[in-house]
Amino acid sequence: MEFGVGWKMNGLIVEGSVDPARLPGRPRDASETVDVDTVYERPCDYGMAVVGGWTFIADPQFRVSFNDDAVQEISDRGRALAWVTNSASTVHGFAWYVDGAPLRRIVFAEGEVVDESGERIPEEDSAPEPLSEDYVFEMMVRLTGQGWSDGGEALYRVWTCAE
């Protein structure tokens, strides 16, 4: 996958498996498997792929990413990482959850912090500054052990919402 002009994606990475019925919007299986670019190009409601014991949820409409209640519902017994990177609007950030509870959130827009909560976590030490797509992708590896290439090269099952 190439990072290029207009790079804009977001999602949630959840430890273990996720029951799609617990996602906002009552999604149903669209019986289709596509690459991650296709999930964002259409956009689909959700794309889901399991990689290395983690469920990658592509979330073009921000139904679950950074939604603390939704993340708690699907990750109440594990870890989860919400992330966003948008090179066109220069918005980059992540939120880290443990057992459904938000521990750390930081989002930058145009070089300024626009949302921050929780104490800085050790994994942020020596991460590439300023907060950018490189920072977000580095946090993916440090927190989940999975890199963006792992999720970016996976095939995603498409889920569409009833509401």
Side-chain angles (χ1 to χ4, degrees), residues 10-12 59 62-71 81-85 92-97 104-107 115:
N10 64 281
L12 183 69
D59 182 22
F62 277 94
R63 290 177 176 265
V64 70
S65 302
F66 296 91
N67 176 335
D68 292 346
D69 293 335
V71 174
L81 177 73
W83 63 277
V84 60
T85 185
H92 308 286
F94 75 92
W96 180 238
Y97 301 82
R104 174 72 168 142
R105 176 191 313 256
I106 186 163
V107 179
D115 186 11

Side-chain angles (χ1 to χ4, degrees), residues 34-133:
V34 299
D35 64 23
V36 73
D37 290 332
T38 302
V39 174
Y40 287 94
E41 286 168 2
R42 289 204 191 144
C44 303
D45 290 313
Y46 297 107
M48 294 178 63
V50 177
V51 179
W54 293 80
T55 300
F56 281 70
I57 302 172
D59 182 22
Q61 298 181 30
F62 277 94
R63 290 177 176 265
V64 70
S65 302
F66 296 91
N67 176 335
D68 292 346
D69 293 335
V71 174
Q72 183 174 17
E73 175 68 24
I74 63 172
S75 70
D76 59 349
R77 292 186 183 95
R79 300 171 292 166
L81 177 73
W83 63 277
V84 60
T85 185
N86 184 324
S87 62
S89 64
T90 63
V91 173
H92 308 286
F94 75 92
W96 180 238
Y97 301 82
V98 176
D99 297 333
L103 295 182
R104 174 72 168 142
R105 176 191 313 256
I106 186 163
V107 179
F108 274 63
E110 298 186 14
E112 301 291 327
V113 175
V114 295
D115 186 11
E116 183 173 21
S117 61
E119 296 295 319
R120 188 173 171 91
I121 57 178
E123 291 83 358
E124 289 179 90
D125 293 343
S126 75
E129 297 283 347
L131 201 142
S132 65
E133 67 189 33

